Amino acid sequence: RQEGFPDVPTAWAGGAATISWLRKMGFASEYAGRRNERQDHEFVVPGAVRLNPLHTFQQKISRQLRDVLTLREANGRYLKAMVELPTGAGKTRVAVETVLKLFIEGSLRGPVLWIAQSLELCEQAVQTWSTVWRGLGDERPLTIGRLWENNTVHEPDTEFSVIVATDAKLDAILDSPEYDWLSSASAVIIDEGHRAGDSERYTRILNWLGVAGRGWERPLIGLSATPFKGTSETATAALASRFGKRKLDAFETNAYKQLAELGVLARVQHEVLPGIEVVLQPDEIAEATKQRKINPRVLDRIGRDQARMSILVNHIMSLDANWPVLVFTPNVLSAQVLAATLRYRGIEA
């Protein structure tokens, strides 16, 4: 600590204050040292990852994504776009692999900011980034930050990095100087991008990132299976405007039909099981008719019905034992009862 620099940090272990001081003085964060990390008594070394090649339709999306991430308009503005792919068609895989290949080629530098609305979606994204990076086989390290709930992340000191964050967490840190570096992300990707249309929270976040409205300071990409807002033309137009009125898709006609023909999505075989009679009260009928919504009280009665549960359990047990089975139930309690009933009968659930 010198007399002319009274604010020199006393701790050099990768802390946020140290990194901020270094940035102020014009030094890279790598000089801040590393935070002390407890070494686990044992750990698992992950094995090799062999990535299946992208499908032709995914390659088409990837090529369009590369342009959005690397090109600029004549006036110097970065591009914005919404990627439309049906659920199950690999939106996350395509976006992640495209970004990581641009990292490797030197066409893009981190940090990239990935935004999702739930912890589950965020953690799925983290696992995809990790798996695809290992599958691409580059020897350089990739930093992945989990920025949600009470987590904190610091400016990465690796060449490549991605920060996966919830929109709620970003909204909470907008005024924090410790995250100024994140507001200058090299690209912003929003999972379930249709939720960003007219949201006040997303307007604040995108303003902070310089990509709201007439802001074009970095590439902005949305990912969605439904790039529209219900039946509202006004809300859909606002969503399209949010992403520069540019949509990237791989299918000119019915995407679901083509994906089923490719074997990417399943062909549905529909069967109706014998069920139970559910009597609705007048107010419940009115709600279902006018709002096209089933009252939670009705779902509770359906979920508690033992005869219906027995029909469902017996049908599941009659299926091929090698099949994975996905069941949607009226509520959480009925899901728990169903799982317990199946386990009692020797079926893992």
Side-chain angles (χ1 to χ4, degrees):
R1 182 186 293 261
Q2 299 294 324
E3 184 175 339
F5 300 96
D7 59 344
V8 174
T10 56
W12 294 79
T18 306
I19 293 174
S20 296
W21 185 87
L22 284 166
R23 286 173 62 86
K24 182 180 71 173
M25 300 302 294
F27 291 97
S29 60
E30 63 194 65
Y31 295 104
R34 308 246 347 153
R35 292 179 293 279
N36 292 329
E37 298 178 357
R38 182 180 64 84
Q39 300 300 312
D40 294 330
H41 293 190
E42 62 180 6
F43 61 96
V44 175
V45 179
V49 173
R50 294 177 177 83
L51 298 174
N52 292 325
L54 296 179
H55 293 283
T56 302
F57 72 89
Q58 292 174 324
Q59 293 173 11
K60 180 178 178 180
I61 291 290
S62 182
R63 287 193 296 270
Q64 297 175 73
L65 266 178
R66 290 175 65 93
D67 289 343
V68 174
L69 289 165
T70 59
L71 300 181
R72 297 199 195 191
E73 295 181 346
N75 56 10
R77 300 191 312 185
Y78 284 97
L79 305 183
K80 303 177 182 178
M82 173 73 82
V83 174
E84 179 183 8
L85 272 180
T87 300
K91 295 183 295 294
T92 302
R93 161 74 191 280
V94 173
V96 167
E97 183 164 327
T98 303
V99 169
L100 292 179
K101 285 184 175 178
L102 289 174
F103 276 167
I104 292 171
E105 296 167 10
S107 302
L108 191 65
R109 288 286 182 270
V112 165
L113 176 59
W114 181 284
I115 308 174
Q117 293 76 36
S118 70
L119 307 189
E120 291 80 8
L121 286 175
C122 283
E123 187 56 37
Q124 288 174 20
V126 166
Q127 297 306 318
T128 302
W129 282 97
S130 175
T131 300
V132 175
W133 183 250
R134 289 167 53 209
L136 292 177
D138 194 273
E139 73 279 3
R140 289 167 292 184
L142 171 73
T143 296
I144 303 176
R146 289 183 171 100
L147 187 56
W148 57 78
E149 292 194 325
N150 295 323
N151 296 0
T152 59
V153 298
H154 303 282
E155 184 173 11
D157 53 12
T158 55
E159 185 178 2
F160 311 130
S161 61
V162 57
I163 306 301
V164 179
T166 58
D167 53 349
K169 181 67 173 184
L170 289 175
D171 198 27
I173 64 165
L174 297 183
D175 298 324
S176 174
E178 294 182 4
Y179 286 98
D180 283 346
W181 58 271
L182 187 55
S183 67
S184 300
S186 59
V188 179
I189 302 174
I190 303 177
D191 195 9
E192 301 293 324
H194 56 275
R195 300 192 180 189
D198 53 1
S199 162
E200 293 183 4
R201 171 181 287 174
Y202 269 100
T203 296
R204 291 191 296 270
I205 293 171
L206 298 182
N207 269 319
W208 180 65
L209 292 164
V211 291
R214 298 182 180 179
W216 305 77
E217 294 183 20
R218 53 195 45 83
L220 172 65
I221 293 168
L223 309 176
S224 180
T226 54
F228 50 84
K229 299 293 285 185
T231 58
S232 171
E233 293 184 5
T234 301
T236 297
L239 176 63
S241 179
R242 182 81 93 188
F243 291 95
K245 299 182 180 180
R246 178 183 284 106
K247 189 172 73 171
L248 313 182
D249 55 37
F251 302 98
E252 297 179 359
T253 56
N254 188 318
Y256 292 92
K257 181 175 183 294
Q258 293 183 58
L259 288 168
E261 291 172 351
L262 290 170
V264 174
L265 296 182
R267 296 178 184 272
V268 175
Q269 294 180 340
H270 188 247
E271 177 183 358
V272 179
L273 304 180
I276 59 169
E277 182 177 350
V278 180
V279 179
L280 301 185
Q281 301 301 316
D283 62 321
E284 295 168 344
I285 294 174
E287 183 176 2
T289 303
K290 294 178 181 179
Q291 301 182 26
R292 301 184 63 82
K293 176 183 176 184
I294 301 297
N295 190 286
R297 297 194 308 271
V298 178
L299 296 178
D300 286 343
R301 297 203 299 273
I302 294 172
R304 289 196 187 103
D305 192 283
Q306 294 184 13
R308 178 182 178 278
M309 182 67 71
S310 177
I311 293 168
L312 187 55
V313 168
N314 289 335
H315 179 73
I316 292 172
M317 295 193 67
S318 72
L319 300 175
D320 189 321
N322 293 320
W323 285 5
V325 179
L326 177 64
V327 183
F328 293 88
T329 65
N331 54 25
V332 173
L333 178 60
S334 60
Q336 294 168 335
V337 173
L338 174 60
T341 304
L342 291 170
R343 288 198 300 269
Y344 181 77
R345 297 192 178 197
I347 303 296
E348 182 181 353

